[in-house]
Amino acid sequence: MRSGFLKLVAENLTIDRGGRRVFQDLSFAVERGEALVVTGANGIGKSSLLRTLAGLVPLAAGTLRLDGGLPDLLPQEQAHYFGHQDAVKPALSVSENLQFWQSFAAPCEPDGFDGGRYTPGEALETLGIGHTAHLPAAYLSAGQRRRLSLSRLLITPRPIWLMDEPTSALDKASEQQLLGLMNTHLDNGGVVVTATHTDLALNQIRTLHLQAGDPGKLLQEEAMS
Amino acid sequence: MRSGFLKLVAENLTIDRGGRRVFQDLSFAVERGEALVVTGANGIGKSSLLRTLAGLVPLAAGTLRLDGGLPDLLPQEQAHYFGHQDAVKPALSVSENLQFWQSFAAPCEPDGFDGGRYTPGEALETLGIGHTAHLPAAYLSAGQRRRLSLSRLLITPRPIWLMDEPTSALDKASEQQLLGLMNTHLDNGGVVVTATHTDLALNQIRTLHLQAGDPGKLLQEEAMS
Amino acid sequence: MDLGPHSGFIIASYALCILTVLALVAWVRIDKLVQDRALKELADQGIVRNRPDTPKQ
Amino acid sequence: MSGWAMALFKRDLRLSVRIGGSALVGVLFFLAVVTVIPFGVGPDLNLLARIGPAILWIGALLATLLGLDRLFQADREDGTLDLMMMSGRPLELVVLVKCLAHWIATGLPLVVAAPLLGVFLNLDPVSMGAVTATLLVGTPALTLIGAIGASLTVSLRRGGLLLAVLVIPLAIPVLIFGVSSADAAIHDPVPFLTPFLILCALTLIAAVVGPVASAAALRFSSD
Amino acid sequence: MSGWAMALFKRDLRLSVRIGGSALVGVLFFLAVVTVIPFGVGPDLNLLARIGPAILWIGALLATLLGLDRLFQADREDGTLDLMMMSGRPLELVVLVKCLAHWIATGLPLVVAAPLLGVFLNLDPVSMGAVTATLLVGTPALTLIGAIGASLTVSLRRGGLLLAVLVIPLAIPVLIFGVSSADAAIHDPVPFLTPFLILCALTLIAAVVGPVASAAALRFSSD
Amino acid sequence: MAFWDYANPTRFLRLVQIVLPWLVGLCVITFAVGLYMSFQAPEDYQQGQTIRIMYIHVPAAWLCMMCYTVMSLSSIGTLVWKHPLADVSAKSAAPIGAAFTFMALLTGSLWGKPMWGTYWVWDARLTSVLVLLIMYLGLMTLWRTMDDPIKAGKAAAVLTLVGALNLPIIKFSVDWWNTLHQPASVVRLDGPTIHPDQLWPLLVMAIAFTLLFLVLHLMAMRNEILRRRVRALRMRAASASHPGTAAATAQPAE
Ligand code: HEM
Ligand SMILES: Nc1ncnc2c1ncn2[C@@H]1O[C@H](COP(=O)(O)OP(=O)(O)OP(=O)(O)O)[C@@H](O)[C@H]1O
Ligand SMILES: Nc1ncnc2c1ncn2[C@@H]1O[C@H](COP(=O)(O)OP(=O)(O)OP(=O)(O)O)[C@@H](O)[C@H]1O
Ligand SMILES: [Mg+2]
Ligand SMILES: [Mg+2]
């Protein structure tokens, strides 16, 4: 395991959603090259955790920081979020969709992370939807849309990938391809945090299993290889 | 295998969606007590097939009939559709939601099918959300909403269940419960048609595997177990 | 008491104001009853607040 | 009303009342439009009294049509509409019942608010009564005609404005006879009853054409 | 404009043009409102000419506000808004650029259509010019103020009507000075420039307050 | 004890419990005195007996503006200090403010008919009060429409503050537009110009209205806090019996 400087540190995270406490005092750290896999039953707070890391749900308490990242950027500005929604505009063509995100999202390549720097065309080819580049995104099937959404992560280098059930709605073949990309990202020195209901074949996995419990103690964290 | 009269017969189904042919000349038949599991890659047309059976997507060609059903009802009026959307109104209480569907959807019990006839209260208890009966449905978690949606199938007896990725977004425990209900329905003489990406442990399975091929033909049908 | 030629307007404005105030009072009182009943219903199910003194948030 | 229709009616009424007071939003919009017009037209009370019935009718027309976009959309988005089509109940009746519930929740409050707003427009009691009566008879027609637009735009996210554009041409006869019977009541020589009866007839026609056309559009839009 | 802003601007413009011609719907609504008013008010040409600028302004106000509900909603529903907040670009500027693109796609067509509609209302060339000029300067303010309403209602499905209700009170000063400078241009004695300059000032204020308040509301609504 | 310590809803409820009876008593007494005085006051040489409407009209008008001020301050509390009671205060003030605005409009129109010959004119002050009413009602709708009270509170706070900026603008622009209403005669730099016999009942009624506002506001805030408790507890009830599907800690935030 390559050990580097980049490290996403969460301390005593507490989140309220809809006036209700989702979890309390959750702490963990993920280093470069590592994938944190968040598991747990329905409604336990996996998506909420990822959205918190993405800066989309406000913290009720606790701190979140990225050691070794660019100092003048917030952690979420150095992260990609790949959730249930595709952020694909059906009225734009596939390459227009992608080009917009390339110009719009600020890239971020801290020391020790090598983002790969795909061009939009290469990214689409890599994901096997190069032939659709000039079609309106409305013509894509659900799986193709998801792959288009994924190519966003390739064209703008950012060290942290937050992925909420990334394999959902994908068939087996597409799932393998996705895992390959995630492993490459880890090898490049990136960090992956993913919530899932299935087992993912990633290189360096740490599991964060959320489960209902007494207030206060609610997580088991185990390091697996 | 109990063999009965009830039989859902599809002949030469052809479906166009968004101006594109999804599939052509698809024929199959499912008898009472049998589950037809539709599999295939993303975007191949599983959901489209189910929505066609539900009468929601018009047929471009082919016929669809229910032998042994009530003669003055269309096949879809004798079927339940359980898809990605829950049809749950957050502003109504759980029991108000359910009572509405009980009064609204016409029941249908042809010979040889025994629908069980749950009351709303019993259905909620069976699915383990009885304690939420008087709460607004807005307070339910995603999994609970899905179970509420499922209880619709129990209170109005109808012989055909059309289920599109029924286990999606469910954790393992809820999935088992759902499979139990589906098996009971089959034992009662019902028919289940379901699209899925995972393996389902149902009693009497026939698999319909859709796959892209020549524009003409694309299915293998195999009877298992 | 003689309220002059425009007594109707004066009485109407006082009466309608009193009505409005009464409506406001009824609103807060009924609302209180509703919430109390809901809390009691929940308490009967054994669901009570377990952090009586911690500030919210 | 048979059991299922009653259940649907009650459900829709409950939903309108509970979801952020749709009724309130409609009436507020009505109030806002009526308030805004004098800012444009100027504070001349005679002028306002003269165009008062028109303002109230146009306000009610816009409030009704713009509030209709969720009539079927909410049910479509969460899959309820699919199930309604499979329910074995005649879709035309379903539409009619939904329109009725919607009118009671949002149209009736407009009718009730009209006399109050009439005060701002310096309407005398007779015109106020006349406008209210015409609105009472005419707004159901607007809802029923609007339902056609609502089902045509059910699958489009950006319903409100488009719906209004589609339906306003259809609603113009209602507006004309509504305003003219209100005006007739004010200016004695013209008989009030003729345009008013025509207005009633329009509502009855809308009660047939609206649900039938709307149900057809809904069937085509299912997918 | 820096690269990302230009990319955003182009994208929003493209989307407005491609998706069911939002511009067209806005103009059609404007047209519908302006044509409906004579049906209500009656065909008195002098009266129409007198209230013409007001009708045009009120029509533009409603068309602008009612067309704004999708300004952020579309982006929120498909998750784009989440990504925008993570993009490392100042949200206030993002809002400003989106408003600009939206105004060009939907506000500008209204301004262009105004003189044509003026013909229906029997406006003379001077008033037509004046109304068009005030609309040109004033409608951006409406869009920018409306953006606040759009971000407040971004998570609510039933945005349109509510947005209008929330925003109309905020837009009243714009309406007052818009109509009064148009009127001033018609009735010579009153100076045109004073209200017109105030209108410009209101637009500038809106260009600051709108994006700031709107961005704040968007941040709070993310979840 | 510092005011800040009452930030805690529970302690606030306790405080309300203690203060409320006294406030209610005081309010009733002031109203009794005020109403008596306002019917004893001499009639106006110009407006005759209708001057009695003033004793409710003017306090209601003052209160409807004060109420918006309270809401604006609370909104700052919500957005800047994230004070847990701030949005409760703002939310429960809105209906009360709307009611006072309604009263001011109502009494004003009823006074306008004998004085001006019409119930309503599109005059600067009247119109801006009407706009204020629309703003109150809009805020109430916004609150009702969003089901998450925390988010609704923040959204409403933004709108309240923008509205607070807008109110003076409306006031001035409308002033410019058309004016008919009385100029200020009580709150003036050179001292009140109305007769003391009329001023005193007015002031007592103003105090009574302020007390009424306080009482209603405290009661409404208490209801709102309870409502949020019910909501939190219900959410917990939804998941309580099923730890498998419950959130990690099923604790109410309230
Ligand atoms: C619907 C109609 C009316 C509304 C909305 C209205 C509104 C107001 C408001 C907001 C104030 C407080 C102003 C301030 O203190 O700055 C006020 C004060 C007052 N109003 Fe009215 N008013 C209305 C009609 C009338 C009428 C018809 C009269 C009498 C002819 C009247 C007489 C007064 C007087 C004497 C004051 C006290 C002014 C002062 O001492 O500051 N109002 N009104
Ligand atoms: N937008 C929201 N507003 C309010 N509460 C929410 C929201 N989203 C989720 N919640 C609540 O937060 C809790 C955690 O939900 P979350 O979506 O994080 O669960 P999850 O672990 O991702 O579940 P799943 O396996 O179903 O995806 C749930 O109790 C849910 O009801
Ligand atoms: N509403 C629609 N309008 C037009 N075309 C559609 C629509 N929904 C799906 N399609 C197209 O129909 C085809 C079949 O889609 P369908 O949703 O049935 O696939 P699926 O087998 O269910 O895939 P998945 O495994 O992703 O659920 C796809 O090519 C898709 O692009
Ligand atoms: Mg999740
Ligand atoms: Mg599918």
Side-chain angles (χ1 to χ4, degrees), chain D residues 120, chain F residues 47 50-51 53-54 57-65 101-116 118-121 123 125-130 132 171 181-188 193-194 202:
Chain D
F120 294 129
Chain F
Q47 311 188 325
T50 55
I51 190 74
I53 299 182
M54 180 180 76
H57 167 71
V58 176
W62 283 342
L63 257 287
C64 75
M65 294 183 294
T101 316
F102 179 70
M103 280 195 252
L105 284 170
L106 197 82
T107 52
S109 327
L110 285 172
W111 197 0
K113 185 71 182 175
M115 289 299 109
W116 304 333
T118 166
Y119 288 106
W120 184 260
V121 286
D123 138 281
R125 181 176 282 173
L126 275 62
T127 312
S128 43
V129 174
L130 181 59
L132 181 65
K171 192 95 178 54
H181 191 279
Q182 293 251 344
S185 53
V186 178
V187 192
R188 288 170 65 120
T193 54
I194 78 172
L202 181 60

Side-chain angles (χ1 to χ4, degrees), chain A residues 17-18 20 22 41-48 165 197, chain B residues 141-142 169, chain E residues 223, chain F residues 247:
Chain A
R17 283 190 94 172
R20 198 170 130 235
V22 177
N42 281 139
I44 200 79
K46 301 181 293 298
S47 305
S48 303
E165 309 203 21
H197 283 295
Chain B
S141 79
Chain E
D223 194 309

Side-chain angles (χ1 to χ4, degrees), chain C residues 7-42:
Chain C
S7 57
F9 293 102
I10 300 171
I11 292 166
S13 35
Y14 275 83
L16 288 175
C17 276
I18 290 170
L19 265 185
T20 316
V21 171
L22 286 183
L24 270 180
V25 172
W27 167 61
V28 283
R29 298 295 295 272
I30 292 173
D31 202 12
K32 177 83 166 36
L33 285 183
V34 170
Q35 305 309 330
D36 280 347
R37 193 171 311 146
L39 277 175
K40 195 170 159 296
E41 220 167 72
L42 284 161

Side-chain angles (χ1 to χ4, degrees), chain D residues 82-155:
Chain D
D82 291 343
L83 300 182
M84 284 182 172
M85 293 206 246
M86 297 171 65
S87 67
R89 312 295 183 188
L91 199 52
E92 288 75 11
L93 285 186
V94 171
V95 171
L96 189 65
V97 171
K98 282 183 79 75
C99 286
L100 187 62
H102 189 270
W103 180 77
I104 289 188
T106 67
L108 206 51
L110 295 182
V111 178
V112 173
L116 296 177
L117 298 184
V119 174
F120 294 129
L121 298 172
N122 196 28
L123 292 190
D124 56 86
V126 176
S127 2
M128 242 188 255
V131 174
T132 313
T134 55
L135 282 177
L136 183 66
V137 173
T139 46
L142 297 180
T143 303
L144 289 160
I145 296 174
I148 305 177
S151 44
L152 287 173
T153 58
V154 67
S155 59

